[in-house]
Amino acid sequence: LSVIRQKYRKKRDFMVEALRKEMKPESLQFQIPQGGFFIWGKLQDVDVDLFARFAARAGKVAFIPGSAFFVEPEKGRSFLRLAFPQVCRETALQGIRALNQALRSFQGKP
């Protein structure tokens, strides 16, 4: 169990650093999870349900919108969930870069 925890911690830490480096802090807010398999993020002034469909089509990147996990889906429309355990470093970095590009495009930014 300790070997698996260490492996997942490294993957989590890599994804956290990649998010910090590739995403603007004002665009995606998140806390480092102390357990579990997901990083929960919040996008300010973005309907994440609409953005998820846009990102899958235009940005070729997929994530789960937070509304799928809320009893009252409207309360989760600013959140997204990113999984890290099954993703290699290269794929995680490519995905985060694609997420950033898709977000900028969705918001009409260059």
Side-chain angles (χ1 to χ4, degrees):
L1 195 54
S2 66
V3 171
I4 293 170
R5 281 188 192 135
Q6 185 178 22
K7 178 182 173 183
Y8 288 164
R9 187 178 302 114
K10 285 180 183 179
K11 287 181 175 229
R12 179 206 63 194
D13 291 349
F14 179 82
M15 189 174 275
V16 164
E17 287 307 311
L19 286 167
R20 285 180 174 156
K21 181 179 177 187
E22 300 296 329
M23 303 286 294
K24 301 245 184 277
E26 64 275 5
S27 63
L28 178 69
Q29 299 170 352
F30 64 92
Q31 292 183 348
I32 300 171
Q34 298 305 303
F37 302 120
F38 308 102
I39 295 172
W40 280 88
K42 183 175 184 180
L43 295 171
Q44 294 296 336
D45 303 318
V46 174
D47 182 328
V48 176
D49 289 356
L50 294 176
F51 175 53
R53 290 189 287 277
F54 176 86
R57 284 191 315 273
K60 306 285 191 243
V61 63
F63 58 87
I64 310 281
S67 62
F69 302 96
F70 280 67
V71 173
E72 296 177 49
E74 281 298 314
K75 292 184 178 180
R77 291 189 76 110
S78 296
F79 295 91
L80 56 86
R81 187 178 89 161
L82 304 172
F84 57 83
Q86 300 301 324
V87 182
C88 71
R89 286 176 176 234
E90 182 178 324
T91 301
L93 186 55
Q94 287 174 353
I96 290 166
R97 286 178 175 161
L99 180 68
N100 186 45
Q101 278 189 307
L103 180 60
R104 295 180 65 73
S105 180
F106 184 75
Q107 294 176 320
K109 296 178 181 177

